[in-house]
Amino acid sequence: MPLYEHVFISRQDLSNAQAEGLVEHFSTVLADNGGKVVDSEYWGVKTMAYKINKNRKGHYAFLKTDAPATAVQEMERLMRLHDDVMRVLTIKVDGHEEGPSIQMQKKDERGDRRERRNRD
Protein backbone atom coordinates (compact mmCIF):
# COMPACT_ATOMS: atom_id res chain seq x y z
CA MET A 1 0.00 0.00 0.00
CA PRO A 2 1.12 3.60 -0.52
CA LEU A 3 2.76 5.51 2.32
CA TYR A 4 1.52 8.96 3.38
CA GLU A 5 2.38 11.65 5.88
CA HIS A 6 -0.33 13.94 7.25
CA VAL A 7 -0.10 17.11 9.31
CA PHE A 8 -3.23 18.77 10.61
CA ILE A 9 -3.85 21.83 12.75
CA SER A 10 -6.75 21.95 15.17
CA ARG A 11 -8.19 24.94 17.05
CA GLN A 12 -6.20 26.49 19.89
CA ASP A 13 -9.06 26.44 22.40
CA LEU A 14 -9.11 22.62 22.55
CA SER A 15 -7.46 20.87 25.47
CA ASN A 16 -4.42 18.66 24.86
CA ALA A 17 -6.54 15.57 25.50
CA GLN A 18 -9.13 16.67 22.94
CA ALA A 19 -6.44 17.38 20.34
CA GLU A 20 -4.85 13.98 20.90
CA GLY A 21 -8.34 12.46 20.73
CA LEU A 22 -8.63 13.79 17.18
CA VAL A 23 -5.54 11.75 16.26
CA GLU A 24 -7.21 8.63 17.66
CA HIS A 25 -10.48 9.44 15.88
CA PHE A 26 -8.85 9.79 12.47
CA SER A 27 -6.71 6.70 13.10
CA THR A 28 -9.87 4.65 13.54
CA VAL A 29 -11.30 6.14 10.33
CA LEU A 30 -8.23 4.86 8.47
CA ALA A 31 -8.43 1.46 10.16
CA ASP A 32 -12.11 1.11 9.24
CA ASN A 33 -11.22 1.71 5.58
CA GLY A 34 -8.34 -0.78 5.37
CA GLY A 35 -5.36 1.39 6.35
CA LYS A 36 -3.18 1.72 9.41
CA VAL A 37 -1.28 4.43 11.25
CA VAL A 38 2.40 3.51 11.41
CA ASP A 39 3.32 6.33 13.80
CA SER A 40 1.72 9.46 15.22
CA GLU A 41 3.13 12.49 17.00
CA TYR A 42 1.42 15.31 18.83
CA TRP A 43 3.57 18.41 18.37
CA GLY A 44 1.64 20.63 20.79
CA VAL A 45 0.42 24.19 20.50
CA LYS A 46 2.46 26.32 18.11
CA THR A 47 2.16 29.88 16.88
CA MET A 48 1.21 30.15 13.22
CA ALA A 49 2.67 32.59 10.71
CA TYR A 50 -0.75 34.07 9.99
CA LYS A 51 -4.25 33.90 11.45
CA ILE A 52 -6.56 31.10 10.38
CA ASN A 53 -10.22 31.57 11.35
CA LYS A 54 -9.19 34.28 13.84
CA ASN A 55 -6.74 31.89 15.58
CA ARG A 56 -3.06 32.76 16.10
CA LYS A 57 -2.12 29.35 17.51
CA GLY A 58 -3.10 25.77 16.88
CA HIS A 59 -2.56 22.18 18.00
CA TYR A 60 -0.31 20.40 15.49
CA ALA A 61 -0.44 16.63 14.92
CA PHE A 62 1.57 14.41 12.56
CA LEU A 63 0.59 10.98 11.22
CA LYS A 64 2.58 8.43 9.23
CA THR A 65 0.18 6.08 7.47
CA ASP A 66 0.13 3.01 5.26
CA ALA A 67 -3.26 3.07 3.59
CA PRO A 68 -5.03 2.78 0.25
CA ALA A 69 -5.92 6.01 -1.52
CA THR A 70 -9.64 5.59 -0.82
CA ALA A 71 -9.02 5.43 2.94
CA VAL A 72 -6.88 8.58 2.81
CA GLN A 73 -9.51 10.41 0.77
CA GLU A 74 -12.20 9.49 3.28
CA MET A 75 -10.05 10.60 6.22
CA GLU A 76 -9.25 13.93 4.51
CA ARG A 77 -12.93 14.44 3.71
CA LEU A 78 -13.88 13.94 7.35
CA MET A 79 -11.02 16.20 8.51
CA ARG A 80 -12.21 19.02 6.27
CA LEU A 81 -15.78 18.63 7.59
CA HIS A 82 -14.71 18.52 11.25
CA ASP A 83 -15.26 21.85 13.04
CA ASP A 84 -12.11 21.58 15.18
CA VAL A 85 -9.67 20.95 12.28
CA MET A 86 -8.45 24.13 10.57
CA ARG A 87 -5.88 22.85 8.04
CA VAL A 88 -4.80 19.51 6.58
CA LEU A 89 -1.72 18.61 4.55
CA THR A 90 -1.17 15.15 3.06
CA ILE A 91 1.96 14.06 1.22
CA LYS A 92 2.66 10.74 -0.48
CA VAL A 93 6.16 9.50 0.39
CA ASP A 94 8.39 6.67 -0.83
CA GLY A 95 9.33 5.59 2.69
CA HIS A 96 8.94 6.69 6.29
CA GLU A 97 12.01 7.97 8.11
CA GLU A 98 12.97 6.12 11.26
CA GLY A 99 12.85 7.87 14.61
CA PRO A 100 11.14 11.09 15.62
CA SER A 101 10.35 13.85 13.14
CA ILE A 102 12.46 17.00 12.98
CA GLN A 103 9.86 18.83 15.10
CA MET A 104 10.33 16.39 17.98
CA GLN A 105 14.14 16.39 17.96
CA LYS A 106 16.14 18.63 20.26
CA LYS A 107 18.09 21.44 18.63
CA ASP A 108 21.49 19.95 19.48
CA GLU A 109 20.51 16.59 17.92
CA ARG A 110 19.58 18.04 14.55
CA GLY A 111 23.12 18.56 13.25
CA ASP A 112 23.24 19.13 9.49
CA ARG A 113 23.06 22.87 10.07
CA ARG A 114 25.92 25.13 9.29
CA GLU A 115 27.49 27.12 12.07
CA ARG A 116 26.66 30.76 12.46
CA ARG A 117 29.39 33.28 11.97
CA ASN A 118 29.67 36.21 14.31
CA ARG A 119 30.11 39.49 12.49
CA ASP A 120 32.19 42.04 14.32
Side-chain angles (χ1 to χ4, degrees):
M1 283 190 277
L3 303 175
Y4 296 93
E5 292 182 352
H6 313 273
V7 175
F8 67 92
I9 307 170
S10 54
R11 293 183 328 179
Q12 67 183 7
D13 57 347
L14 298 177
S15 69
N16 289 353
Q18 288 174 317
E20 291 177 6
L22 287 175
V23 173
E24 296 300 320
H25 171 70
F26 293 121
S27 298
T28 56
V29 169
L30 271 182
D32 292 345
N33 290 298
K36 65 177 181 177
V37 174
V38 177
D39 190 21
S40 66
E41 295 177 357
Y42 171 66
W43 291 347
V45 178
K46 297 195 174 287
T47 304
M48 296 182 282
Y50 55 91
K51 287 184 180 181
I52 301 174
N53 300 336
K54 299 181 182 177
N55 290 304
R56 268 276 183 227
K57 296 181 179 188
H59 292 272
Y60 282 69
F62 177 65
L63 302 171
K64 294 179 183 177
T65 62
D66 183 8
T70 54
V72 172
Q73 289 171 351
E74 178 64 14
M75 184 185 72
E76 281 188 327
R77 185 183 76 81
L78 292 174
M79 281 183 171
R80 294 186 197 289
L81 292 174
H82 203 284
D83 289 337
D84 293 334
V85 177
M86 296 188 299
R87 287 288 190 273
V88 179
L89 174 69
T90 300
I91 299 173
K92 185 175 180 180
V93 295
D94 294 329
H96 293 301
E97 292 184 15
E98 294 296 320
S101 65
I102 195 73
Q103 285 290 327
M104 297 300 285
Q105 294 175 5
K106 295 180 184 175
K107 283 189 177 185
D108 56 340
E109 291 177 4
R110 290 184 190 164
D112 295 337
R113 294 181 73 178
R114 63 178 196 191
E115 294 181 25
R116 295 181 184 212
R117 292 182 284 168
N118 292 332
R119 293 187 177 182
D120 295 328

